[in-house]
Amino acid sequence: MPELTRRRALTAAAALAAAAGVQTLVAPGASAAGHSHEGSLEPFDEVYKGRRIQGRPAGTGDMDAMAGMDGMAGMGGHHHGHGTGYAVFVDGVELHVMRNADGSWISVVSHYDPVATPRAAARAAVDELQGAALLPFPAN
Amino acid sequence: MTVRKNQASLTADEKRRFVAAVIELKRSGRYDDFVRTHNAFIMSDTDDSERTGHRSPSFLPWHRRFLLDFEQALQSVDSSVALPYWDWSADRTVRAALWAPDFLGGTGRSSDGRVTDGPFAAAGGNWPVNVRVDGRTYLRRSLGTSVRELPSRAEVDSVLSMATYDMAPWNSASDGFRNHLEGWRGVNLHNRVHVWVGGQMATGVSPNDPVFWLHHAFIDKLWARWQRRHPEAAYVPGGGTPDVVDLDETMKPWNDVRPADLLDHTRFYTFDTLEA
């Protein structure tokens, strides 16, 4: 079953990413990619209310810098083709986020309430989830 | 002809029939297809590329057609049922009859947001949340928590007074009636109501809460009121707009219906009352 395979892969990728640690994740190349966008598109990686939230630019051609997270992003078959250019993860599971024209952000679990940055969207998602596991999208 | 009524004026029998038809659609699996479709559009409609269901001029005709599909599905179960609407500018507290156990049930408990009364409470066994973005399978709400106040009549009126349907860049940054009604700009009507209800209603899978339909039936009614108030104003854009559904272009996912086909609601249903 593809879903189980993907879950296993996600778990493995998350473990790798965790082992590699923050220093590896926020590699110089990734930071440079972040700075090439205006404003809020820098990577982040923190534990918020007991859950690991991560964000990074996506589709910038700088994938190698964050191999573990790239693995996660690539596995789902989802492409950030609608121009978000940024991927957010909660405990290693990708959270669908979207940038509004005014630069604010929303996510699929807090869709009608824009916040200023992808990190704020990730934190709002953790608040909304109340400890529940995020499901890989698309949900079905 | 279908008559859409204010939920506050429904009889006990009308409420019972509406709830029974909704639960039958859930039982048969047809309900969840609506949730799935909505979330697919939520995730793909974006400000700088193709946008159809949301953050675009076709927000209103898209949801009009989406509600027509749902209403027809309900009527295939019970032909007497019509979609009621929730005027949240009038019935604006958690004590409204809308949230009583004989209709939609009330707010969620504080610990986990779980709705514990009414026909859609998880304990009743009739309302599994299957199309979801997280692991929780029970209906959740948190009425009035994330935002304190529902929009007021004065705020509704201020948006109805806007004479232009929509404006370039035809997205969440637009000025004009559509985007102020949708809520990405200004006093915020439609979006704020989703946030006020909380739970699944605040997410891309918002149709998991049956109040989704009553909320959108009122948004749809506000479009009809706006047309009556501005008879000279038209749906725009009229043609040739990249990524945006023009007046005579077909809309996904149906591909056989245009905004032009949906401007006159009286082809499909009327309202109990329609003030300007």
Side-chain angles (χ1 to χ4, degrees), chain A residues 12-24:
Chain A
L16 278 173
V22 176
Q23 290 307 314
T24 305

Side-chain angles (χ1 to χ4, degrees), chain A residues 39-122:
Chain A
S40 56
L41 292 184
E42 285 152 28
F44 66 86
D45 187 333
E46 69 177 17
V47 174
Y48 174 74
K49 293 190 176 176
R51 307 186 69 167
R52 188 172 191 188
I53 56 174
Q54 297 162 279
R56 63 160 177 85
T60 59
D62 194 29
M63 296 295 197
D64 291 344
M66 302 157 101
M69 293 175 70
D70 283 342
M72 287 188 277
M75 217 83 67
H78 176 80
H79 303 287
H80 297 272
H82 52 59
T84 293
Y86 201 88
V88 169
F89 302 85
V90 176
D91 291 339
V93 178
E94 187 168 3
L95 172 71
H96 186 272
V97 296
M98 185 181 292
R99 188 181 203 185
N100 293 321
D102 66 359
S104 61
W105 291 79
I106 53 174
S107 86
V108 73
V109 301
S110 187
H111 184 81
Y112 304 92
D113 198 4
V115 293
T117 64
R119 188 197 300 255

Side-chain angles (χ1 to χ4, degrees), chain B residues 73-107:
Chain B
L74 290 174
Q75 290 172 345
S76 75
V77 175
D78 181 340
S79 61
S80 76
V81 171
L83 280 184
Y85 61 85
W86 168 33
D87 178 352
W88 27 253
S89 72
D91 298 304
R92 47 191 288 114
T93 75
V94 298
R95 295 174 299 283
L98 174 68
W99 307 114
D102 69 338
F103 201 13
L104 300 191
T107 194

Side-chain angles (χ1 to χ4, degrees), chain B residues 23-31 77:
Chain B
I23 284 176
E24 172 54 22
L25 289 185
K26 170 64 93 169
R27 190 201 61 75
S28 71
R30 296 167 73 188
Y31 192 95
V77 175

Side-chain angles (χ1 to χ4, degrees), chain B residues 2-275:
Chain B
T2 298
V3 180
R4 293 189 180 173
K5 299 177 183 173
N6 189 321
Q7 60 79 26
S9 63
L10 295 186
T11 66
D13 187 56
E14 286 170 330
K15 291 180 188 180
R16 190 180 54 74
R17 284 173 170 270
F18 175 77
V19 166
V22 170
I23 284 176
E24 172 54 22
L25 289 185
K26 170 64 93 169
R27 190 201 61 75
S28 71
R30 296 167 73 188
Y31 192 95
D32 287 344
D33 287 337
F34 288 94
V35 186
R36 203 172 284 116
T37 296
H38 187 266
N39 193 45
F41 278 82
I42 277 280
M43 294 202 303
S44 65
D45 294 324
T46 53
D47 278 333
D48 58 0
S49 62
E50 186 174 305
R51 47 199 182 275
T52 302
H54 307 86
R55 57 181 67 235
S56 61
S58 47
F59 168 70
L60 290 170
W62 190 92
H63 281 84
R64 176 165 284 176
R65 175 56 196 259
F66 191 56
L67 264 63
L68 278 167
D69 281 3
F70 183 70
E71 186 170 56
Q72 284 163 9
L74 290 174
Q75 290 172 345
S76 75
V77 175
D78 181 340
S79 61
S80 76
V81 171
L83 280 184
Y85 61 85
W86 168 33
D87 178 352
W88 27 253
S89 72
D91 298 304
R92 47 191 288 114
T93 75
V94 298
R95 295 174 299 283
L98 174 68
W99 307 114
D102 69 338
F103 201 13
L104 300 191
T107 194
R109 63 188 184 192
S110 59
S111 57
D112 60 3
R114 187 187 304 243
V115 170
T116 59
D117 68 349
F120 306 102
N126 288 320
W127 202 254
V129 175
N130 302 313
V131 182
R132 55 188 191 268
V133 291
D134 65 59
R136 294 168 290 181
T137 58
Y138 49 89
L139 180 65
R140 292 179 292 112
R141 291 184 191 129
S142 191
L143 304 181
T145 299
S146 292
V147 60
R148 263 178 60 96
E149 299 282 347
L150 288 163
S152 67
R153 286 186 189 190
E155 287 170 326
V156 168
D157 219 55
S158 72
V159 172
L160 288 177
S161 71
M162 297 178 175
T164 304
Y165 177 76
D166 205 347
M167 298 167 77
W170 320 109
N171 63 16
S172 74
S174 292
D175 201 352
F177 169 68
R178 187 275 310 167
N179 196 38
H180 279 82
L181 178 59
E182 190 169 0
W184 300 111
R185 183 163 176 167
V187 297
N188 186 357
L189 301 183
H190 155 268
N191 283 355
R192 196 202 319 181
V193 175
H194 277 275
V195 174
W196 187 89
V197 174
Q200 281 90 0
M201 263 291 273
T203 76
V205 293
S206 46
N208 272 309
D209 191 327
V211 81
F212 173 92
W213 310 103
L214 285 77
H215 172 36
H216 272 277
F218 185 60
I219 293 294
D220 182 82
K221 189 187 185 209
L222 291 178
W223 184 22
R225 287 181 58 189
W226 177 85
Q227 289 173 307
R228 181 168 283 204
R229 196 179 289 200
H230 306 278
E232 74 295 341
Y235 179 96
V236 282
T241 316
D243 295 328
V244 171
V245 182
D246 295 311
L247 177 66
D248 289 313
E249 275 190 309
T250 57
M251 283 190 297
K252 294 175 180 178
W254 307 282
N255 298 317
D256 63 354
V257 64
R258 310 163 303 159
D261 303 318
L262 293 161
L263 302 181
D264 178 10
H265 71 275
T266 65
R267 294 175 57 193
F268 312 104
Y269 52 86
T270 58
F271 293 101
D272 49 0
T273 61
L274 186 63
E275 58 279 41

